Coordinates of all heavy atoms in Angstrom, one line a residue:
M1 N 157.1 116.4 23.1 CA 156.7 117.6 23.6 C 155.3 117.4 24.4 O 154.4 116.9 23.6 CB 156.7 118.8 22.7 CG 156.8 120.1 23.3 SD 157.0 121.5 22.2 CE 155.3 121.8 21.8
E2 N 155.1 117.9 25.6 CA 153.8 117.8 26.2 C 153.2 118.9 26.7 O 154.0 119.9 27.0 CB 153.9 116.7 27.4 CG 153.9 115.3 26.8 CD 153.3 114.2 27.8 OE1 152.8 114.8 28.9 OE2 153.4 113.1 27.6
G3 N 152.1 119.1 26.8 CA 151.4 120.2 27.3 C 150.1 120.0 27.8 O 149.7 118.7 28.0
R4 N 149.3 120.9 28.2 CA 148.0 120.6 28.8 C 146.9 121.0 28.0 O 146.9 122.1 27.3 CB 147.8 121.4 30.3 CG 148.6 120.9 31.3 CD 147.8 120.1 32.4 NE 148.7 119.2 33.1 CZ 148.5 117.9 33.1 NH1 147.5 117.3 32.6 NH2 149.4 117.1 33.7
C5 N 146.0 120.2 27.8 CA 144.8 120.5 27.0 C 143.8 121.3 27.8 O 143.8 121.2 29.1 CB 144.1 119.2 26.5 SG 142.6 119.4 25.7
Y6 N 142.8 122.0 27.2 CA 141.8 122.7 27.9 C 141.0 121.7 28.8 O 140.3 122.2 29.7 CB 141.0 123.6 27.1 CG 140.3 122.9 25.8 CD1 139.4 122.1 25.9 CD2 140.9 123.5 24.6 CE1 138.9 121.5 24.8 CE2 140.3 122.8 23.4 CZ 139.3 121.9 23.5 OH 138.8 121.4 22.5
C7 N 140.9 120.5 28.6 CA 140.0 119.6 29.5 C 140.9 119.1 30.6 O 140.3 118.4 31.4 CB 139.6 118.3 28.6 SG 140.9 117.1 28.3
G8 N 142.0 119.5 30.7 CA 143.0 119.3 31.9 C 143.9 118.0 31.6 O 144.8 117.9 32.6
R9 N 143.8 117.3 30.6 CA 144.6 116.2 30.4 C 145.8 116.6 29.6 O 145.8 117.9 29.1 CB 143.9 115.1 29.6 CG 142.7 114.7 30.4 CD 142.3 113.3 29.9 NE 141.0 113.0 30.6 CZ 140.7 111.7 30.9 NH1 141.6 110.8 30.8 NH2 139.6 111.5 31.4
S10 N 146.8 115.9 29.5 CA 148.0 116.2 28.7 C 147.7 116.0 27.3 O 146.9 115.1 27.0 CB 149.2 115.6 29.3 OG 149.1 114.2 29.2
Y11 N 148.3 116.8 26.4 CA 148.2 116.4 25.0 C 149.5 115.9 24.5 O 150.6 116.2 25.1 CB 147.6 117.5 24.2 CG 148.4 118.8 24.1 CD1 149.5 118.9 23.3 CD2 147.9 120.0 24.9 CE1 150.2 120.2 23.3 CE2 148.6 121.1 24.8 CZ 149.7 121.3 24.1 OH 150.4 122.4 23.9
I12 N 149.6 115.1 23.5 CA 150.7 114.6 23.0 C 151.1 115.2 21.6 O 150.2 115.3 20.8 CB 150.6 113.1 22.8 CG1 149.6 112.6 23.9 CG2 152.0 112.4 23.0 CD1 149.0 111.3 23.3
M13 N 152.4 115.3 21.3 CA 152.7 115.7 19.9 C 153.2 114.5 19.2 O 153.8 113.7 19.5 CB 153.9 116.7 19.9 CG 154.0 117.4 18.7 SD 155.3 118.5 18.8 CE 156.8 117.4 18.1
K14 N 152.5 114.4 17.9 CA 152.8 113.2 17.2 C 153.1 113.7 15.8 O 152.9 114.9 15.4 CB 151.5 112.3 17.0 CG 151.1 111.7 18.3 CD 150.1 110.7 18.0 CE 149.9 109.8 19.3 NZ 149.1 108.7 19.0
T15 N 153.8 112.9 15.0 CA 154.0 113.3 13.6 C 153.3 112.4 12.7 O 153.2 111.1 12.9 CB 155.6 113.0 13.3 OG1 156.3 113.7 14.2 CG2 155.9 113.4 12.0
S16 N 152.6 112.9 11.7 CA 151.8 112.2 10.8 C 152.6 111.5 9.7 O 153.5 112.2 9.2 CB 150.7 113.1 10.2 OG 150.3 112.5 9.0
W17 N 152.4 110.3 9.4 CA 153.2 109.8 8.2 C 152.2 109.2 7.1 O 152.4 108.3 6.4 CB 154.2 108.6 8.7 CG 155.2 109.1 9.4 CD1 155.4 108.9 10.8 CD2 156.3 110.0 9.2 NE1 156.6 109.6 11.3 CE2 157.0 110.2 10.3 CE3 156.6 110.6 7.9 CZ2 158.2 111.1 10.2 CZ3 157.8 111.4 7.8 CH2 158.5 111.6 8.9
T18 N 151.0 109.9 7.1 CA 150.1 109.5 6.1 C 150.5 110.2 4.7 O 151.4 111.1 4.7 CB 148.7 110.0 6.3 OG1 148.8 111.4 6.4 CG2 148.1 109.4 7.6
D19 N 150.1 109.6 3.6 CA 150.5 110.1 2.3 C 150.1 111.5 2.0 O 150.7 112.2 1.4 CB 149.9 109.1 1.2 CG 150.6 107.9 1.0 OD1 151.6 107.6 1.8 OD2 150.2 107.1 0.1
L20 N 149.0 111.9 2.7 CA 148.5 113.2 2.6 C 149.2 114.2 3.4 O 149.4 115.4 3.0 CB 147.0 113.3 2.9 CG 146.0 112.9 1.9 CD1 144.6 113.0 2.4 CD2 146.3 113.7 0.6
N21 N 149.7 113.9 4.6 CA 150.4 114.8 5.5 C 151.7 114.2 5.9 O 151.9 114.1 7.2 CB 149.5 115.1 6.7 CG 148.5 116.0 6.3 OD1 148.7 117.2 5.7 ND2 147.2 115.6 6.7
P22 N 152.6 113.9 5.1 CA 153.9 113.2 5.5 C 154.9 114.1 6.3 O 155.1 115.2 5.9 CB 154.6 112.8 4.3 CG 154.0 113.7 3.3 CD 152.6 114.0 3.6
G23 N 155.1 113.8 7.4 CA 156.1 114.5 8.3 C 155.4 115.6 9.1 O 156.0 116.5 9.8
R24 N 154.1 115.8 8.9 CA 153.4 117.0 9.5 C 153.1 116.7 11.1 O 152.7 115.6 11.4 CB 152.2 117.3 8.8 CG 151.5 118.6 9.4 CD 150.2 118.9 8.4 NE 149.8 120.2 8.7 CZ 148.5 120.6 8.2 NH1 147.8 119.8 7.6 NH2 148.1 121.8 8.6
R25 N 153.6 117.6 11.9 CA 153.4 117.3 13.3 C 152.1 118.0 13.8 O 151.7 118.9 13.3 CB 154.5 118.0 14.2 CG 155.8 117.3 14.0 CD 157.0 118.2 14.6 NE 157.0 119.4 13.8 CZ 157.8 120.4 14.3 NH1 158.5 120.3 15.3 NH2 157.8 121.7 13.5
Y26 N 151.5 117.2 14.8 CA 150.2 117.7 15.3 C 150.1 117.4 16.8 O 150.9 116.4 17.2 CB 149.0 117.1 14.5 CG 149.0 115.6 14.5 CD1 148.1 114.9 15.4 CD2 149.6 114.8 13.7 CE1 148.1 113.6 15.5 CE2 149.7 113.4 13.7 CZ 148.9 112.8 14.6 OH 148.7 111.4 14.7
S27 N 149.1 118.0 17.5 CA 149.0 117.5 18.9 C 147.5 117.1 19.0 O 146.6 117.6 18.5 CB 149.2 118.8 19.8 OG 150.4 119.4 19.5
I28 N 147.5 116.1 19.8 CA 146.1 115.5 20.3 C 146.0 115.3 21.7 O 147.0 115.1 22.3 CB 145.6 114.3 19.4 CG1 146.6 113.2 19.8 CG2 145.5 114.5 17.9 CD1 146.1 111.8 19.3
C29 N 144.8 115.5 22.2 CA 144.6 115.3 23.5 C 144.8 113.8 23.9 O 144.4 112.9 23.0 CB 143.3 115.7 24.0 SG 142.8 115.5 25.8
S30 N 145.4 113.4 25.1 CA 145.5 112.0 25.3 C 144.1 111.3 25.6 O 144.1 110.1 25.6 CB 146.4 111.7 26.6 OG 145.9 112.5 27.7
N31 N 143.1 112.1 25.7 CA 141.8 111.6 25.8 C 141.0 111.6 24.5 O 139.8 111.4 24.6 CB 141.1 112.4 26.9 CG 139.7 111.8 27.4 OD1 139.6 110.5 27.4 ND2 138.8 112.6 27.7
F32 N 141.8 111.9 23.3 CA 141.0 112.1 22.2 C 140.2 111.0 21.7 O 140.6 109.8 21.7 CB 142.1 112.4 21.1 CG 141.6 112.9 19.8 CD1 141.1 114.2 19.8 CD2 141.8 112.1 18.7 CE1 140.6 114.8 18.6 CE2 141.3 112.7 17.5 CZ 140.7 114.0 17.4
R33 N 139.0 111.3 21.2 CA 138.0 110.3 20.6 C 137.6 109.1 21.5 O 137.2 108.1 21.1 CB 138.7 109.7 19.4 CG 138.4 110.6 18.2 CD 138.9 110.0 17.0 NE 138.9 111.0 15.8 CZ 139.7 110.8 14.8 NH1 140.3 109.7 14.6 NH2 139.7 111.8 13.8
E34 N 138.1 109.1 22.9 CA 137.6 108.0 23.6 C 136.1 108.5 24.0 O 135.7 109.4 23.8 CB 138.5 107.9 25.0 CG 139.7 107.3 24.6 CD 140.7 107.4 25.8 OE1 140.2 107.6 26.9 OE2 141.9 107.3 25.6
A35 N 135.5 107.5 24.8 CA 134.1 107.8 25.1 C 133.9 109.2 25.8 O 134.7 109.4 26.9 CB 133.5 106.8 26.0
G36 N 133.3 110.1 25.3 CA 133.1 111.3 26.0 C 134.4 112.1 25.8 O 134.6 113.1 26.5
G37 N 135.3 111.7 24.9 CA 136.5 112.3 24.8 C 136.6 113.6 24.3 O 135.7 114.3 23.9
C38 N 137.8 114.2 24.4 CA 137.9 115.6 23.9 C 138.3 115.8 22.5 O 138.7 114.8 22.0 CB 139.0 116.1 24.9 SG 140.0 117.5 24.3
S39 N 138.0 116.9 21.9 CA 138.1 117.1 20.4 C 139.4 117.8 20.1 O 139.6 118.2 19.0 CB 137.0 117.7 19.8 OG 136.7 118.9 20.4
F40 N 140.3 118.1 21.3 CA 141.4 118.9 20.9 C 142.3 118.2 19.9 O 142.8 117.2 20.0 CB 142.2 119.1 22.3 CG 143.5 119.9 22.1 CD1 143.3 121.2 22.1 CD2 144.6 119.2 22.0 CE1 144.5 122.0 21.9 CE2 145.8 119.9 21.9 CZ 145.8 121.4 21.8
F41 N 142.6 119.0 18.9 CA 143.4 118.6 17.9 C 144.0 119.8 17.2 O 143.3 120.7 16.9 CB 142.7 117.8 16.8 CG 143.5 117.4 15.6 CD1 144.1 116.1 15.5 CD2 143.7 118.2 14.5 CE1 144.8 115.7 14.6 CE2 144.4 117.7 13.4 CZ 145.1 116.5 13.4
S42 N 145.4 119.9 17.1 CA 145.9 121.0 16.5 C 147.2 120.7 15.8 O 148.0 119.9 16.1 CB 146.2 122.1 17.7 OG 147.4 122.7 17.5
C43 N 147.2 121.3 14.5 CA 148.4 121.1 13.7 C 149.5 122.1 14.0 O 149.3 123.3 14.2 CB 148.1 121.2 12.3 SG 147.2 119.7 11.6
M44 N 150.7 121.6 14.3 CA 151.8 122.4 14.6 C 152.5 123.1 13.3 O 153.0 124.1 13.3 CB 152.9 121.6 15.2 CG 152.5 120.6 16.3 SD 152.4 121.4 17.9 CE 154.1 121.8 18.2
D45 N 152.3 122.2 12.3 CA 153.1 122.6 11.1 C 152.0 123.1 10.0 O 150.9 122.7 10.1 CB 153.9 121.4 10.6 CG 155.1 121.1 11.3 OD1 155.6 122.0 12.0 OD2 155.5 119.9 11.4
P46 N 152.6 124.0 9.2 CA 151.6 124.3 8.1 C 151.4 123.0 7.2 O 152.1 122.2 7.3 CB 152.4 125.4 7.2 CG 153.8 125.2 7.7 CD 153.7 124.6 9.1
P47 N 150.4 123.1 6.2 CA 149.9 122.0 5.5 C 151.2 121.6 4.7 O 152.0 122.5 4.2 CB 148.8 122.6 4.5 CG 148.2 123.6 5.4 CD 149.4 124.2 6.1
V48 N 151.3 120.3 4.4 CA 152.5 119.9 3.6 C 152.2 120.3 2.1 O 151.2 120.3 1.6 CB 152.5 118.3 3.7 CG1 153.6 117.7 2.9 CG2 152.6 117.8 5.2
C49 N 153.3 120.9 1.5 CA 153.2 121.3 0.2 C 153.0 120.2 -0.8 O 153.4 119.1 -0.6 CB 154.3 122.2 -0.2 SG 155.8 121.5 -0.6
E50 N 152.4 120.5 -1.9 CA 152.2 119.5 -2.9 C 153.4 118.7 -3.4 O 153.4 117.5 -3.5 CB 151.7 120.3 -4.3 CG 151.1 119.3 -5.2 CD 149.9 118.6 -4.6 OE1 149.1 119.1 -3.9 OE2 149.8 117.4 -5.1
R51 N 154.7 119.4 -3.5 CA 155.8 118.7 -3.8 C 156.3 117.7 -2.8 O 156.5 116.6 -3.1 CB 156.9 119.7 -4.1 CG 158.2 119.2 -4.7 CD 158.1 119.0 -6.1 NE 159.4 118.4 -6.7 CZ 159.4 117.3 -7.3 NH1 158.3 116.6 -7.6 NH2 160.5 116.8 -7.7
S52 N 156.2 118.1 -1.5 CA 156.7 117.1 -0.5 C 155.7 115.9 -0.4 O 156.0 114.8 -0.1 CB 156.7 117.9 0.9 OG 157.3 119.0 0.9
R53 N 154.5 116.2 -0.7 CA 153.5 115.2 -0.7 C 153.7 114.2 -1.7 O 153.4 113.0 -1.6 CB 152.0 115.8 -0.9 CG 150.9 115.2 -0.1 CD 149.8 115.9 -0.3 NE 149.5 117.0 0.6 CZ 148.5 117.9 0.5 NH1 147.6 117.8 -0.5 NH2 148.4 119.0 1.3
Q54 N 154.2 114.7 -2.9 CA 154.6 113.7 -3.9 C 155.9 112.9 -3.4 O 156.0 111.7 -3.8 CB 154.8 114.4 -5.2 CG 153.5 114.9 -5.8 CD 153.8 115.9 -7.0 OE1 155.0 116.2 -7.3 NE2 152.8 116.3 -7.7
I55 N 156.8 113.5 -2.9 CA 158.1 113.0 -2.7 C 158.3 112.1 -1.4 O 158.8 111.1 -1.5 CB 159.2 114.2 -2.8 CG1 159.3 114.6 -4.2 CG2 160.5 113.5 -2.4 CD1 160.3 115.9 -4.1
I56 N 157.9 112.6 -0.4 CA 158.1 112.1 0.8 C 157.6 110.6 1.1 O 158.3 109.7 1.4 CB 157.6 112.9 2.2 CG1 158.5 114.2 2.1 CG2 157.7 112.2 3.5 CD1 158.2 115.2 3.2
P57 N 156.3 110.3 0.7 CA 155.8 108.9 0.7 C 156.6 107.9 0.0 O 156.9 106.9 0.5 CB 154.4 109.0 0.2 CG 154.0 110.4 0.3 CD 155.2 111.2 0.1
G58 N 157.2 108.4 -1.2 CA 158.0 107.5 -1.9 C 159.4 107.2 -1.2 O 160.0 106.2 -1.2
L59 N 159.9 108.4 -0.6 CA 161.2 108.2 0.1 C 161.0 107.4 1.3 O 161.9 106.5 1.5 CB 161.6 109.6 0.7 CG 162.3 110.5 -0.4 CD1 162.5 111.9 0.2 CD2 163.5 110.1 -1.0
L60 N 160.0 107.5 2.1 CA 159.6 106.6 3.2 C 159.6 105.1 2.8 O 160.2 104.3 3.5 CB 158.2 106.9 3.8 CG 158.3 108.2 4.8 CD1 156.8 108.5 5.1 CD2 159.2 108.0 5.9
R61 N 158.9 104.8 1.6 CA 158.9 103.5 1.2 C 160.2 103.0 0.9 O 160.6 101.9 1.3 CB 157.8 103.3 0.0 CG 156.4 103.2 0.4 CD 155.6 102.9 -0.8 NE 155.3 104.0 -1.5 CZ 154.3 104.8 -1.3 NH1 153.4 104.6 -0.3 NH2 154.2 105.9 -2.0
R62 N 161.1 103.9 0.3 CA 162.4 103.4 0.0 C 163.1 103.1 1.1 O 164.0 102.2 1.2 CB 163.1 104.5 -0.9 CG 163.9 103.9 -2.1 CD 164.5 104.9 -2.9 NE 163.6 105.7 -3.7 CZ 164.0 106.8 -4.4 NH1 165.1 107.2 -4.4 NH2 163.1 107.4 -5.2
V63 N 163.2 104.1 2.2 CA 163.9 103.9 3.4 C 163.5 102.5 4.0 O 164.3 101.8 4.5 CB 163.6 105.0 4.4 CG1 164.1 104.7 5.8 CG2 164.3 106.3 3.9
N64 N 162.1 102.4 4.0 CA 161.7 101.0 4.8 C 162.2 99.7 4.0 O 162.6 98.9 4.7 CB 160.1 100.9 4.7 CG 159.6 101.9 5.8 OD1 160.2 102.3 6.7 ND2 158.3 102.2 5.5
K65 N 162.2 99.9 2.6 CA 162.7 98.7 1.9 C 164.2 98.6 2.2 O 164.6 97.4 2.4 CB 162.5 99.1 0.4 CG 162.7 97.9 -0.5 CD 162.7 98.2 -1.9 CE 163.2 97.1 -2.9 NZ 164.7 96.6 -2.5
L66 N 165.0 99.6 2.2 CA 166.4 99.6 2.5 C 166.6 99.0 3.9 O 167.5 98.1 4.1 CB 167.1 100.9 2.4 CG 167.2 101.4 1.0 CD1 167.8 102.9 1.0 CD2 168.3 100.6 0.2
E67 N 165.9 99.4 4.9 CA 165.9 98.8 6.2 C 165.8 97.3 6.2 O 166.5 96.6 6.9 CB 165.1 99.6 7.3 CG 165.6 100.9 7.7 CD 164.7 101.6 8.6 OE1 163.6 101.3 8.7 OE2 165.1 102.7 9.1
N68 N 164.8 96.9 5.5 CA 164.5 95.5 5.4 C 165.6 94.8 4.8 O 166.1 93.7 5.2 CB 163.3 95.2 4.5 CG 162.0 95.3 5.3 OD1 162.1 95.4 6.6 ND2 161.0 95.7 4.6
D69 N 166.2 95.4 3.6 CA 167.4 94.7 3.0 C 168.5 94.6 3.9 O 169.1 93.6 4.0 CB 167.8 95.5 1.7 CG 166.7 95.4 0.7 OD1 165.8 94.6 0.8 OD2 166.9 96.2 -0.4
V70 N 168.8 95.6 4.7 CA 169.9 95.6 5.7 C 169.6 94.5 6.6 O 170.7 93.7 6.9 CB 170.1 97.0 6.4 CG1 171.1 96.9 7.5 CG2 170.5 98.0 5.4
T71 N 168.5 94.4 7.2 CA 168.2 93.4 8.2 C 168.5 92.0 7.6 O 169.1 91.2 8.2 CB 166.8 93.4 8.7 OG1 166.4 94.8 9.0 CG2 166.5 92.4 9.9
K72 N 168.0 91.8 6.2 CA 168.4 90.5 5.6 C 169.8 90.3 5.5 O 170.3 89.1 5.7 CB 167.6 90.5 4.3 CG 166.1 90.0 4.3 CD 165.6 90.0 2.9 CE 164.2 90.4 2.8 NZ 163.8 91.0 1.5
L73 N 170.5 91.3 5.1 CA 172.0 91.0 4.9 C 172.7 90.7 6.2 O 173.5 89.9 6.2 CB 172.6 92.3 4.2 CG 172.3 92.6 2.8 CD1 172.8 94.0 2.3 CD2 173.1 91.5 1.9
E74 N 172.2 91.3 7.2 CA 172.8 91.1 8.6 C 172.6 89.7 9.0 O 173.5 89.0 9.3 CB 172.2 92.0 9.6 CG 172.9 93.4 9.7 CD 172.2 94.4 10.4 OE1 171.1 94.1 11.0 OE2 172.7 95.5 10.7
K75 N 171.5 89.1 8.7 CA 171.2 87.8 8.9 C 172.1 86.8 8.1 O 172.7 85.8 8.6 CB 169.7 87.5 8.8 CG 168.8 87.9 9.8 CD 167.4 87.3 9.6 CE 166.3 88.0 10.6 NZ 165.1 88.2 9.9
E76 N 172.2 87.2 6.9 CA 173.0 86.4 5.9 C 174.4 86.3 6.3 O 175.1 85.4 6.4 CB 172.8 87.1 4.5 CG 173.7 86.3 3.3 CD 173.1 84.9 3.2 OE1 172.0 84.6 3.5 OE2 174.0 84.1 2.7
V77 N 175.0 87.6 6.8 CA 176.3 87.6 7.2 C 176.4 86.8 8.5 O 177.6 86.0 8.5 CB 176.7 89.1 7.5 CG1 178.1 89.2 8.4 CG2 176.8 90.0 6.2
G78 N 175.6 86.9 9.4 CA 175.6 86.0 10.6 C 175.6 84.5 10.2 O 176.5 83.7 10.8
R79 N 174.8 84.1 9.3 CA 174.8 82.7 8.9 C 176.2 82.3 8.3 O 176.7 81.3 8.6 CB 173.7 82.5 7.8 CG 172.5 81.7 8.4 CD 171.8 81.2 7.1 NE 171.4 82.1 6.1 CZ 170.3 82.9 6.1 NH1 169.5 82.8 7.1 NH2 170.0 83.8 5.2
R80 N 176.7 83.2 7.4 CA 178.0 82.8 6.7 C 179.1 82.8 7.7 O 179.9 81.9 7.6 CB 178.3 83.8 5.6 CG 177.3 83.7 4.6 CD 178.0 84.3 3.2 NE 177.0 84.2 2.2 CZ 176.9 84.9 1.1 NH1 178.0 85.7 0.9 NH2 176.0 84.7 0.2
R81 N 179.0 83.6 8.8 CA 180.2 83.6 9.8 C 180.2 82.3 10.4 O 181.2 81.7 10.7 CB 180.0 84.9 10.6 CG 181.3 85.2 11.3 CD 181.2 86.6 11.9 NE 181.3 87.7 11.0 CZ 180.8 88.9 11.2 NH1 180.1 89.1 12.3 NH2 180.9 89.8 10.2
S82 N 178.9 81.8 10.8 CA 178.9 80.7 11.7 C 179.4 79.3 10.7 O 179.9 78.5 11.3 CB 177.5 80.4 12.3 OG 176.6 80.0 11.3
T83 N 179.0 79.5 9.4 CA 179.4 78.4 8.5 C 180.9 78.4 8.5 O 181.6 77.3 8.5 CB 178.9 78.6 7.1 OG1 177.5 78.8 7.2 CG2 179.2 77.5 6.3
E84 N 181.5 79.5 8.4 CA 183.0 79.6 8.3 C 183.6 79.2 9.5 O 184.7 78.4 9.5 CB 183.3 81.3 8.1 CG 184.7 81.6 7.6 CD 184.9 83.1 7.3 OE1 184.0 83.6 6.9 OE2 185.9 83.5 7.7
V85 N 183.1 79.5 10.7 CA 183.7 79.0 11.9 C 183.7 77.4 12.0 O 184.6 76.7 12.3 CB 182.9 79.5 13.2 CG1 183.3 78.7 14.5 CG2 183.3 81.0 13.3
K86 N 182.5 76.8 11.4 CA 182.4 75.5 11.4 C 183.5 74.8 10.4 O 184.2 73.7 10.8 CB 181.0 75.0 10.9 CG 180.0 75.0 12.0 CD 178.6 74.7 11.5 CE 177.5 75.2 12.4 NZ 176.4 75.6 11.5
L87 N 183.7 75.5 9.3 CA 184.7 75.0 8.4 C 186.0 75.0 9.1 O 186.8 73.9 8.9 CB 184.8 75.9 7.2 CG 183.6 75.6 6.2 CD1 183.7 76.6 5.0 CD2 183.6 74.2 5.5
W88 N 186.5 76.0 9.8 CA 187.8 76.2 10.3 C 187.9 75.1 11.4 O 188.9 74.4 11.6 CB 188.0 77.6 11.0 CG 188.4 78.5 10.0 CD1 187.8 79.6 9.4 CD2 189.7 78.5 9.3 NE1 188.4 80.2 8.5 CE2 189.7 79.6 8.4 CE3 190.8 77.7 9.4 CZ2 190.8 79.9 7.6 CZ3 191.9 78.0 8.6 CH2 191.9 79.2 7.6
L89 N 186.8 74.8 12.2 CA 186.8 73.8 13.3 C 187.2 72.4 12.6 O 188.0 71.8 13.0 CB 185.5 73.8 14.0 CG 185.5 74.9 15.1 CD1 184.1 74.8 15.8 CD2 186.5 74.5 16.2
G90 N 186.4 72.2 11.5 CA 186.6 71.0 10.8 C 187.9 70.7 10.4 O 188.7 69.6 10.5
L91 N 188.7 71.8 9.8 CA 189.8 71.8 9.3 C 190.8 71.3 10.4 O 191.7 70.6 10.3 CB 190.1 73.1 8.7 CG 191.3 73.2 7.6 CD1 190.9 72.1 6.4 CD2 191.4 74.6 7.0
A92 N 190.6 72.1 11.5 CA 191.5 71.9 12.7 C 191.4 70.6 13.1 O 192.5 69.9 13.5 CB 191.1 73.0 13.8
V93 N 190.2 70.0 13.2 CA 190.1 68.6 13.7 C 190.8 67.6 12.7 O 191.4 66.7 13.1 CB 188.5 68.3 13.8 CG1 188.4 66.7 14.1 CG2 188.0 69.0 14.9
S94 N 190.6 67.9 11.4 CA 191.2 66.9 10.5 C 192.8 67.1 10.6 O 193.5 66.1 10.5 CB 190.8 67.4 9.0 OG 191.2 68.6 8.6
W95 N 193.4 68.3 10.8 CA 194.8 68.4 11.1 C 195.2 67.6 12.3 O 196.2 66.9 12.2 CB 195.2 69.9 11.4 CG 195.3 70.7 10.1 CD1 195.5 70.2 8.8 CD2 195.1 72.1 10.0 NE1 195.6 71.2 7.9 CE2 195.3 72.3 8.6 CE3 194.9 73.1 10.9 CZ2 195.2 73.7 8.1 CZ3 194.8 74.5 10.4 CH2 194.9 74.7 9.1
L96 N 194.4 67.7 13.4 CA 194.7 67.0 14.7 C 194.8 65.5 14.4 O 195.6 64.8 14.8 CB 193.7 67.3 15.7 CG 194.0 68.8 16.4 CD1 192.9 68.9 17.3 CD2 195.2 68.8 17.1
L97 N 193.7 65.1 13.5 CA 193.7 63.6 13.3 C 194.8 63.2 12.5 O 195.3 61.9 12.7 CB 192.3 63.3 12.6 CG 191.1 63.4 13.4 CD1 189.9 63.3 12.6 CD2 191.1 62.4 14.6
M98 N 195.3 63.9 11.5 CA 196.4 63.6 10.6 C 197.7 63.5 11.4 O 198.7 62.7 11.2 CB 196.5 64.6 9.5 CG 195.5 64.3 8.4 SD 196.0 65.2 7.0 CE 195.5 66.9 7.5
A99 N 197.8 64.4 12.5 CA 199.0 64.5 13.2 C 199.3 63.3 14.1 O 198.3 62.5 14.5 CB 199.1 65.7 14.1
Ligands
ZN101 ZN1 141.5 117.4 26.0

């Protein structure tokens, strides 16, 4: 979502994934904190409640770990599949040689 800041530039909506504000959306000016930048900063969501603050960072870490595991498994499956193809080719060649 985009809009205009009072300095005339557009502002961007972002989502914070820090441990203190997991999932909290905020808007900052696209010129934020640059030299002579604008200080426009506004939170869209209310403060993250204590319970979410405890749970969400852990969930995020778990999701990241699972995504890594899936990537590893996909690579492993790819490796095994190519090994299997080589085995079948070898078998076919040996049948041809026997015939
Ligand atoms: Zn601005």
Side-chain angles (χ1 to χ4, degrees):
M1 204 175 80
E2 281 208 4
R4 290 249 157 241
C5 173
Y6 48 69
C7 76
R9 307 205 185 212
S10 57
Y11 62 78
I12 332 154
M13 195 181 90
K14 294 189 168 193
T15 303
S16 155
W17 292 112
T18 61
D19 283 2
L20 279 181
N21 285 305
R24 193 177 183 191
R25 288 168 301 169
Y26 63 95
S27 308
I28 56 166
C29 181
S30 53
N31 191 31
F32 192 66
R33 273 184 198 161
E34 284 167 24
C38 157
S39 61
F40 178 81
F41 178 92
S42 141
C43 278
M44 318 270 302
D45 292 328
V48 179
C49 76
E50 194 56 39
R51 187 80 184 122
S52 313
R53 213 176 277 172
Q54 286 169 353
I55 293 173
I56 295 177
L59 285 177
L60 278 177
R61 273 189 283 274
R62 219 179 291 172
V63 167
N64 287 339
K65 191 186 169 302
L66 285 175
E67 276 175 354
N68 280 340
D69 288 352
V70 167
T71 312
K72 273 184 217 152
L73 283 174
E74 277 170 352
K75 278 187 194 151
E76 181 62 26
V77 167
R79 250 201 310 272
R80 289 203 183 162
R81 202 166 283 156
S82 72
T83 309
E84 201 175 313
V85 168
K86 278 180 209 147
L87 283 176
W88 278 110
L89 277 176
L91 207 56
V93 169
S94 64
W95 280 338
L96 285 173
L97 289 175
M98 280 192 289

